Amino acid sequence: NNAEVPSLRSDIPMDRSTSLMYCTDCHNSDTSLAAGGAGPTGPHGSIYEGIFAQNYALDPLVPSSATVDFALCFKCHDENSLINLELSGFSHGRHINSRSKSCINCHDPHGSHSFAHLLNFLLHSDYPGGPYDITPSGDVGYPEPAWVDLGLYSGDCYMRCHGTNHSPRGY
């Protein structure tokens, strides 16, 4: 909820500096108000895995479609802005549409202790392109990717993904 998230929907009234999200904003019945319906509220059942109010692609290895598989993300993020906006050379649209990757490959909606912007790179040994293996120091074989925040819309990504070593890849 900070000013570094230009994709947040402007039609949702909130004070970005003090607004809070609750578990039930995402984990709720698929017929609830949180899902855009009028059914019972609460995380007591949903047709979606993870008791989500709307669809969210959890499998990082299954090709995804932005509109269908990330409906939950677009409750708060403007789809057009997120898919079409390119900041500092990074394109969500290219990663989602061209490379058919799920948001979960790079972002953890519950946050990250290590990285800003909900970045929490998924470590999966079967990930296409091989496991992540590059660190900020350049040590090959270290099993964790890294993101170094360099300020507004800028950072370096250290990892191996889609067959390319980023050591670093600046955005």
Side-chain angles (χ1 to χ4, degrees):
N1 61 353
N2 63 44
E4 284 193 47
V5 187
S7 66
L8 287 178
R9 291 177 38 193
S10 61
D11 62 332
I12 299 175
M14 70 174 101
D15 176 351
R16 290 185 179 195
S17 64
T18 61
S19 63
L20 296 175
M21 289 183 63
Y22 297 94
C23 301
T24 53
D25 289 337
C26 298
H27 299 282
N28 215 316
S29 162
D30 58 293
T31 61
S32 68
L33 185 61
T41 297
H44 305 295
S46 172
I47 62 171
Y48 302 112
E49 183 180 4
I51 313 175
F52 291 129
Q54 295 175 313
N55 199 16
Y56 179 73
L58 288 169
D59 189 338
L61 301 176
V62 174
S64 302
S65 162
T67 302
V68 174
D69 295 320
F70 309 118
L72 188 64
C73 302
F74 300 131
K75 283 180 60 176
C76 297
H77 293 277
D78 177 78
E79 180 178 5
N80 186 50
S81 173
L82 189 71
I83 299 301
N84 296 318
L85 189 63
E86 186 165 319
L87 297 171
S88 302
F90 187 82
S91 169
H92 281 93
R94 182 175 64 240
H95 284 81
I96 293 170
N97 294 328
S98 300
R99 296 207 164 107
S100 298
K101 297 301 171 213
S102 169
C103 301
I104 202 167
N105 283 286
C106 298
H107 298 282
D108 183 341
H110 295 121
S112 168
H113 293 288
S114 304
F115 307 115
H117 313 292
L118 302 178
L119 288 170
N120 194 13
F121 302 105
L122 188 67
L123 299 178
H124 193 290
S125 60
D126 295 326
Y127 188 82
Y132 301 113
D133 61 3
I134 303 296
T135 65
S137 65
D139 299 329
V140 176
Y142 187 74
E144 295 196 26
W147 167 260
V148 178
D149 193 333
L150 299 175
L152 188 62
Y153 311 134
S154 179
D156 284 337
C157 198
Y158 296 85
M159 69 172 64
R160 175 181 170 83
C161 60
H162 48 82
T164 304
N165 280 338
H166 300 304
S167 58
R169 168 70 161 99
Y171 292 102

